[in-house]
Amino acid sequence: WYEVTGVQTCALPICRPAQRALSAHSYQTGKGWETLSFEAALAAEAERIEAGWHHIWHYRRMGHYAEQLEVFADAFGATRVLVLDHAEFEQDPAGVLRRCATHIGIDPEGFAMRNRRVNEGSVRARPLVLAERTLRHSRVGSAVVRAVLPRAARDRIRRVGRRDVTLTAATRRELDQYFAADTARLAGLLGDRAPAWARSA
């Protein structure tokens, strides 16, 4: 949230909820925290929520965008909430950044964007993940690595053994159906300012 000349406003990028769920699972898996497959983790979600697991494990629940945004729209007005389509950001980051700057009331020419990709929706074999975590949590080991290897080299090493993760057709269909009602609410809430995927659902 930003406050410009006394007016509160916000801008946030979102992707299709099914893709967001997979991205969260990939992040958790890449960190070595998630051991279940995506489908198994979806099946275990209700039990995990009941047990009080942190919201980052709520792969389905966190995709209820309309439910979350309605609170802000009710409090501040829907026109003050700008929802940016993550796919559009991928295609035209500078254009989306200009929209964001204009929305929050600042000069879009007044700053530059650094575009460094992280957490790219891929995972590595668990032994590699655990080895990296062990090294990262060693004060001496992590200090030596940072002193010897520049960031670019460390990023290349982190990409070793990565494999892309995609939704199966069956899981995508099931999740799209699951999120259909919330997606319709999102389109109704934002109107022609809703992401294209929400308007066309």
Side-chain angles (χ1 to χ4, degrees):
W1 279 93
Y2 304 87
E3 186 167 329
V4 182
T5 62
V7 177
Q8 290 185 321
T9 184
C10 80
L12 66 158
I14 62 174
C15 59
R16 289 177 180 269
Q19 196 63 43
R20 192 223 66 82
L22 180 66
S23 177
H25 179 269
S26 297
Y27 175 80
Q28 295 285 81
T29 304
K31 289 290 188 181
W33 300 328
E34 178 63 85
T35 59
L36 299 180
S37 71
F38 184 49
E39 287 74 14
L42 290 174
E45 182 170 332
E47 183 178 338
R48 287 172 164 183
I49 290 173
E50 182 67 25
W53 288 42
H54 187 274
H55 68 262
I56 199 168
W57 303 87
H58 304 180
Y59 303 124
R60 287 182 193 265
R61 185 184 234 179
M62 292 302 292
H64 289 259
Y65 296 141
E67 179 181 301
Q68 298 171 64
L69 288 172
E70 282 169 347
V71 176
F72 295 100
D74 289 345
F76 301 105
T79 59
R80 292 185 184 170
V81 179
L82 174 65
V83 174
L84 303 167
D85 188 342
H86 189 267
E88 290 180 18
F89 178 77
E90 290 286 317
Q91 295 167 1
D92 182 17
V96 170
L97 186 66
R98 284 193 298 273
R99 283 182 58 209
C100 179
T102 300
H103 177 76
I104 64 175
I106 59 177
D107 181 1
E109 305 303 324
F111 59 93
M113 179 181 67
R114 294 189 328 182
N115 190 13
R116 178 171 173 261
R117 299 182 68 88
V118 295
N119 304 328
E120 294 188 72
S122 56
V123 297
R124 291 178 295 165
R126 188 165 174 78
L128 288 174
V129 172
L130 295 178
E132 181 184 320
R133 285 183 65 192
T134 300
L135 184 60
R136 190 185 308 123
H137 291 141
S138 164
R139 294 173 72 182
V140 174
S142 61
V144 168
V145 169
R146 284 195 304 272
V148 173
L149 294 174
R151 178 186 290 274
R154 297 199 304 271
D155 287 345
R156 284 195 297 272
I157 291 171
R158 287 191 189 99
R159 289 194 290 269
V160 171
R162 287 195 177 274
R163 58 182 175 82
D164 291 336
V165 179
T166 57
L167 284 167
T168 67
T171 301
R172 181 182 292 279
R173 281 193 303 272
E174 190 271 326
L175 287 174
D176 284 346
Q177 182 177 1
Y178 171 83
F179 287 117
D182 189 79
T183 298
R185 283 171 64 186
L186 181 68
L189 177 68
L190 299 175
D192 60 5
R193 296 177 299 107
W197 53 263
R199 297 194 309 270
S200 63

